[in-house]
Amino acid sequence: MFDLEPHRVASILVWVTSLSGMFSNGVVFCWVTKMPSMQNPFGRIARNQSLTGFLHACGYFFFFAPMLYFDIKSWKDSKISSWFGQLEDTFYDACLYCHLFISLNRIISIWFPMYYDMTFTKNRVRLINFLVWAVAIGLNFYFLRWADCRIQYGEEVWGVVFLNTELCFKIGMAFVVHKGIILTMVIAFLDMCTFLKCRVHGRQLLRLTTDTQARNRKIMEITFVTQSFVQAFIFILELLTYFVFVNWTDSKLAKFGLKTIAWIMVHSLDGFIAILFNKEFIRKVFISKQRRVASDYRSSQVNTTGTAAALTIHSVAIDIQKK
């Protein structure tokens, strides 16, 4: 009964991982929109980043997993699957660009706080979010459509692969591999510099800061730095699995895990890391929910007791009338 074919097991794994990505990034997107502490340049760029992760997961959940499970040949054709591959790479690139600007946001906040408000104005943040999408869409359309190179479905790995041509190999190495490695290393370098600054001077700054509001803001900024550092590490790990570790095995299932699942999971973990590193979200969503449940329970108990007492008084009144 449960003896599923391998490609269907793979599709179920895609459904589960992409659903987790939709959940984590969707929660972050809604939370950033509502939380007061995230109504700042960091929060606005982080919201854009969570949108890229959500859309990336949606593509795998609604297109790739059904295609794999039901073995839809027309969807696997290059004419359709290449558009899917191009869209997914666009979302990935947009997410990577958001990470870059978040790292720049953090390093300026920690190293050059006097220039922070002047650098990340509301209009400039809007421009940053626009450029993220404009550059991601423009470059992907140029290299993966106009230049006649494609990222399409590959049955050999149950994932998307580059078209096997010399042009595609050059574009893949220059546009995807080298660009991804360079951007990720730049992000990691910026985050490392910011992280070290926080580790060396963070405690001293907290001791010197007497104002409670300023102290809480400094703690929040240090937390954001740690969050972006961990997220950059996850992206580096994904690049290693996708382009290096995958060459160490000939197993189709292993290649599927190291390429397709790793590509989905990097966005899923992105959202979960953002949730776990923000105590305000956990406090307001989970703890507040528990308090609401407890309050509703107490109210129901009071209402039940009050109703019972009212019924008793009413019955006593009727007895008195009868007498």
Side-chain angles (χ1 to χ4, degrees), residues 83-97:
W83 282 105
F84 167 77
Q86 182 178 332
L87 281 174
E88 293 301 295
D89 199 59
T90 299
F91 298 146
Y92 177 84
D93 285 350
C95 185
L96 202 59
Y97 299 153

Side-chain angles (χ1 to χ4, degrees), residues 89-292:
D89 199 59
T90 299
F91 298 146
Y92 177 84
D93 285 350
C95 185
L96 202 59
Y97 299 153
C98 285
H99 269 292
L100 176 63
F101 282 111
I102 286 175
S103 297
L104 289 170
N105 177 277
R106 293 298 86 202
I107 198 168
I108 292 175
S109 173
I110 298 300
W111 281 87
F112 312 102
M114 68 289 295
Y115 299 112
Y116 182 81
D117 292 332
M118 181 177 62
T119 305
F120 290 96
T121 63
K122 187 173 289 187
N123 289 332
R124 285 182 180 176
V125 171
R126 289 198 189 102
L127 179 62
I128 286 171
N129 286 333
F130 170 78
L131 288 176
V132 161
W133 285 105
V135 172
I137 293 172
L139 288 180
N140 273 274
F141 188 85
Y142 176 78
F143 285 111
L144 302 179
R145 191 60 49 179
W146 189 83
D148 200 26
C149 179
R150 302 288 185 268
I151 299 180
Q152 60 190 30
Y153 175 74
E155 187 69 32
E156 66 275 11
V157 293
W158 290 322
V160 290
V161 295
F162 276 95
L163 190 66
N164 190 19
T165 63
E166 184 179 355
L167 174 64
C168 239
F169 176 77
K170 292 179 180 179
I171 290 176
M173 291 300 294
F175 176 59
V176 178
V177 181
H178 293 160
K179 179 200 66 180
I181 291 174
I182 291 171
L183 280 177
T184 307
M185 294 305 294
V186 170
I187 292 168
F189 174 76
L190 293 173
D191 288 341
M192 180 65 73
C193 292
T194 312
F195 185 76
L196 291 175
K197 173 81 171 180
C198 291
R199 293 293 296 175
V200 173
H201 301 287
R203 293 179 180 177
Q204 181 181 358
L205 288 172
L206 290 176
R207 284 197 302 267
L208 294 175
T209 305
T210 56
D211 183 69
T212 304
Q213 187 175 0
R215 181 182 177 87
N216 290 336
R217 181 180 176 182
K218 187 60 63 178
I219 293 173
M220 184 175 64
E221 288 176 350
I222 294 172
T223 302
F224 288 157
V225 169
T226 309
Q227 172 190 326
S228 59
F229 179 79
V230 175
Q231 287 172 322
F233 173 78
I234 294 296
F235 267 77
I236 293 173
L237 187 61
E238 184 269 335
L239 283 173
L240 290 174
T241 62
Y242 200 95
F243 295 109
V244 179
F245 299 160
V246 72
N247 298 316
W248 297 354
T249 179
D250 295 324
S251 169
K252 184 176 181 179
L253 185 61
K255 286 179 179 291
F256 163 75
L258 292 170
K259 289 178 76 72
T260 304
I261 296 298
W263 205 23
I264 304 171
M265 282 302 298
V266 70
H267 293 282
S268 300
L269 292 174
D270 218 19
F272 283 115
I273 289 169
I275 293 171
L276 293 174
F277 270 86
N278 288 275
K279 295 180 180 179
E280 183 184 4
F281 170 79
I282 297 173
R283 184 172 62 252
K284 292 212 171 183
V285 174
F286 294 103
I287 297 179
S288 296
K289 185 177 180 180
Q290 292 175 358
R291 288 176 179 172
R292 285 197 301 270

